[in-house]
C-alpha cells in the first residue's frame, strides 16, 4: 500500500486529526464492522506536551509526577479556543511552547500532535480502505438480492 499521507485524502485527514486531538478528541480509525479504534488519545498528547515543555530552555521542569497533566490540558484548551477567546493567555501559551518547527503549523502544539499522529496514518488508510471495501461488498450483495427478486 502507498503512503496514506501521499494520497489526496491524506493531508486533509492529518490536518483534521491534529485539530481534533488538540481539541481533546481521540484520533480514530474505522473498523469494517462498526466500532472505531483509537490511534492517538488526548492523554498521549498531554504526555508528549509535558516532555516538550520539559525540553524548553526557558521553562523549569515540573517537579511533580502528575498523570492528569492539568497544565498541558490547559494549554491545549487555550490553543484550541484561540486568541479571540483567550487573548493574552493564548500568547503566553505560544511563548511557553516555543516556535513551531514546521512552517505551515500555527503553533508548536501542532508539531507535537503531528508527531504523535503521523506514524498511524497508514494504519488509518488501511482501515479506511477496508471499511470502503466492506461497504462496497455489502452494497453489491444487496444489489444482487434486489436483481434476483
Amino acid at each position: 500500500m502507498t503512503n496514506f499521507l501521499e494520497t489526496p485524502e491524506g493531508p486533509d485527514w492529518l490536518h483534521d486529526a491534529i485539530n481534533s486531538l488538540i481539541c481533546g478528541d481521540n484520533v480514530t480509525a474505522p473498523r469494517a464492522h462498526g466500532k472505531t479504534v483509537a490511534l492517538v488519545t488526548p492523554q498521549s498528547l498531554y504526555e508528549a506536551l509535558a516532555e516538550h515543555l520539559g525540553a524548553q530552555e526557558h521553562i523549569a521542569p515540573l517537579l511533580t509526577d502528575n498523570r492528569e497533566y492539568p497544565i498541558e490540558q490547559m494549554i491545549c484548551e487555550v490553543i484550541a479556543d484561540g486568541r479571540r477567546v483567550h487573548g493574552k493567555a493564548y500568547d503566553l501559551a505560544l511563548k511557553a511552547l516555543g516556535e513551531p518547527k514546521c512552517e505551515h503549523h500555527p503553533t508548536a502544539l501542532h508539531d507535537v500532535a503531528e508527531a504523535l499522529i503521523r506514524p498511524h496514518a497508514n494504519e488509518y488508510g488501511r482501515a479506511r480502505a477496508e471499511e470502503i471495501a466492506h461497504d462496497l461488498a455489502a452494497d453489491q450483495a444487496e444489489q444482487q438480492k434486489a436483481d434476483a427478486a
Side-chain angles (χ1 to χ4, degrees), residues 13 25-41 123-124 127-128 131:
W13 172 82
D25 297 327
N26 288 336
V27 175
T28 61
R31 290 283 169 104
H33 300 289
K35 196 171 189 177
T36 61
V37 61
L39 300 174
V40 184
T41 65
E123 184 179 349
Y124 173 85
R128 181 73 176 122
E131 179 186 46

Side-chain angles (χ1 to χ4, degrees), residues 10-147:
D12 288 339
W13 172 82
L14 181 61
H15 178 268
D16 293 345
I18 289 168
N19 289 327
S20 291
L21 186 62
I22 289 171
C23 289
D25 297 327
N26 288 336
V27 175
T28 61
R31 290 283 169 104
H33 300 289
K35 196 171 189 177
T36 61
V37 61
L39 300 174
V40 184
T41 65
Q43 181 69 21
S44 58
L45 177 61
Y46 306 148
E47 292 168 5
L49 183 55
E51 290 178 22
H52 175 81
L53 289 171
Q56 298 300 306
E57 294 176 8
H58 59 281
I59 296 178
L62 298 176
L63 300 176
T64 62
D65 185 18
N66 187 342
R67 296 289 178 208
E68 293 180 16
Y69 301 100
I71 292 170
E72 293 76 12
Q73 289 180 30
M74 179 183 61
I75 289 172
C76 289
E77 289 283 330
V78 167
I79 289 176
D81 290 342
R83 180 177 282 117
R84 193 172 333 125
V85 174
H86 293 289
K88 184 165 176 121
Y90 178 85
D91 294 334
L92 291 171
L94 294 185
K95 186 176 181 181
L97 292 172
E99 293 295 317
K101 297 197 183 345
C102 293
E103 65 183 49
H104 65 278
H105 285 166
T107 72
L109 181 58
H110 290 77
D111 291 342
V112 174
E114 181 176 338
L116 289 170
I117 296 167
R118 186 174 279 278
H120 298 284
N122 287 336
E123 184 179 349
Y124 173 85
R126 264 191 308 282
R128 181 73 176 122
E130 288 173 9
E131 179 186 46
I132 291 170
H134 180 267
D135 290 348
L136 182 61
D139 289 347
Q140 288 174 343
E142 196 169 304
Q143 184 62 42
Q144 287 175 350
K145 285 181 187 176
D147 290 346

